[in-house]
Amino acid sequence: MAKTPEQWLADVTPGKKGGTLKLILGYAPGVGKTYNMLSEAIRRSSRGEDVVIGVVETHGRKGVIELAAKLETVPRKKIEYKGTVFEEMDLDGILARNPAIVVIDELAHSNIEGSRHAKRYEDVLELLDADIDVMTTMNVQHLESVAPSVQRISGITVRETVPDWLMKRVREVVMADLTPEALQTRMRRGDIYPLDRTEKALANFFRPGNLIALRELALQEVAQEVDRSLETYLDQEGGERKLGIRERFAVAISSNPAAQQLIGRAARMAKRLDGELYVVYVDIGTDDNETSQRTLAANIRFAEAVGARVAKLESATVAHAVAEFVRDKHITQVVFGHSAVKGWKRFLYLNAIHKFLRDAPPVDVHIVTQQSR
């Protein structure tokens, strides 16, 4: 019986023993994923680590063939399907060999019917369960959430995908990068496909616009993985230092319609710094009436439309809840609105800001004047 994503991800829980997964990510065939993976495997083998090849797809590329010949390979398993014999990675053979590290190409590959698992990534997860480290490769278009964007960009339907939750199991992501111009040069030399296929490939998938967009998607994915790694490190270390490479904005809103001005201002600030934006609403029990709920829903729709992540919190005080959110999400900049400028409302507002500054970790605070509607 196949494991559920939750069962596979149980392996990620702190203290859980298991192999480590390293992913060499690319954006198109020929950028050097397999070559880079094999080069690292050879270096590690030369240092005395026990490394074997589980499966490598050479596609007839001379450099890859030469590198693969320098490592031990576990022979592939032959499986007959509808009268034809196919060769697949021998999962049981690798488990029996029990190396320290196994090299496995093309993570998104679908296994032939009759294999133990339908997908190669499931084979990889079983190897990790057996305390075997895995190095693997994949192009960004094979990530499930990215595939629709790739279809829109290139017109090509990606049929073999890997679920996004698997990325939580990846310990390290390295991008095999090459400029689109250099990749097209490799294509014209016949380094990627035979020369008789070159012109057709250059006119379709390997068009400059496609390659630029795919490269951007891959760079974004690697950046997100770096952010996740940083968050994990800070959580483990209990640190509150501003180590974030990317700015993270949080804007506190209410049900006041003027909050949309505040959200728009914060969104422009985040965009200028290529930062992430969170919109935080704290329910303190004062927005129960129909009008408030309607304007709050409109504010949240607006926040989602500008690309913000919306967080709804419950607390007795706004200041304490926002301070905790800032700490948990490693926010670097906070935006508050200011529309009450006179009398006791001004006092209450300043008191709330003072309490936030007292409770929050070091963070930049912006006070933005709102025009009440």
Side-chain angles (χ1 to χ4, degrees), residues 235-294:
D235 287 342
Q236 290 173 347
E237 296 296 316
E240 296 176 2
R241 299 183 302 277
K242 288 178 61 177
L243 298 178
I245 302 300
R246 197 176 182 198
E247 295 288 343
R248 290 183 174 182
F249 289 77
V251 53
I253 69 164
S254 68
S255 60
N256 188 331
Q260 292 185 24
Q261 301 170 27
L262 192 62
I263 296 167
R265 177 72 177 274
R268 290 192 294 275
M269 293 166 66
K271 186 175 181 180
R272 281 198 300 270
L273 294 175
D274 190 29
E276 293 179 271
L277 176 62
Y278 293 84
V279 168
V280 183
Y281 169 72
V282 182
D283 183 358
I284 56 174
T286 59
D287 289 326
D288 294 336
N289 63 78
E290 184 178 344
T291 300
S292 293
Q293 287 298 306
R294 187 167 57 249

Side-chain angles (χ1 to χ4, degrees), residues 336-355:
F336 290 105
H338 187 198
S339 56
V341 294
K342 295 180 180 179
W344 63 273
K345 287 186 177 181
R346 175 181 173 83
F347 171 78
L348 291 177
Y349 174 82
L350 293 175
N351 188 48
I353 294 295
H354 174 75
K355 287 180 179 178

Side-chain angles (χ1 to χ4, degrees), residues 348-370:
L348 291 177
Y349 174 82
L350 293 175
N351 188 48
I353 294 295
H354 174 75
K355 287 180 179 178
F356 168 80
L357 294 172
R358 181 195 63 197
D359 295 340
V363 64
D364 293 341
V365 177
H366 304 267
I367 308 295
V368 176
T369 301
Q370 301 167 263

Side-chain angles (χ1 to χ4, degrees), residues 182-315:
L183 183 58
Q184 288 180 314
T185 298
R186 293 195 67 196
M187 174 72 72
R188 293 188 180 96
R189 287 202 308 255
D191 293 345
I192 301 172
Y193 297 135
L195 287 172
D196 59 356
R197 296 171 55 190
T198 296
E199 289 307 316
K200 184 177 180 181
L202 287 170
N204 291 283
F205 185 83
F206 286 81
R207 295 195 308 272
N210 282 357
L211 297 180
I212 291 168
L214 289 168
R215 188 185 187 209
E216 176 67 18
L217 287 171
L219 289 167
Q220 288 175 358
E221 183 60 33
V222 172
Q224 288 170 9
E225 290 304 314
V226 170
D227 278 351
R228 278 196 281 267
S229 296
L230 176 63
E231 230 178 62
T232 300
Y233 168 78
L234 290 175
D235 287 342
Q236 290 173 347
E237 296 296 316
E240 296 176 2
R241 299 183 302 277
K242 288 178 61 177
L243 298 178
I245 302 300
R246 197 176 182 198
E247 295 288 343
R248 290 183 174 182
F249 289 77
V251 53
I253 69 164
S254 68
S255 60
N256 188 331
Q260 292 185 24
Q261 301 170 27
L262 192 62
I263 296 167
R265 177 72 177 274
R268 290 192 294 275
M269 293 166 66
K271 186 175 181 180
R272 281 198 300 270
L273 294 175
D274 190 29
E276 293 179 271
L277 176 62
Y278 293 84
V279 168
V280 183
Y281 169 72
V282 182
D283 183 358
I284 56 174
T286 59
D287 289 326
D288 294 336
N289 63 78
E290 184 178 344
T291 300
S292 293
Q293 287 298 306
R294 187 167 57 249
T295 56
L296 176 62
N299 291 345
I300 290 172
R301 284 195 300 272
F302 181 80
E304 292 171 341
V306 299
R309 301 181 187 183
V310 177
K312 296 181 182 179
L313 311 175
E314 290 187 10
S315 177

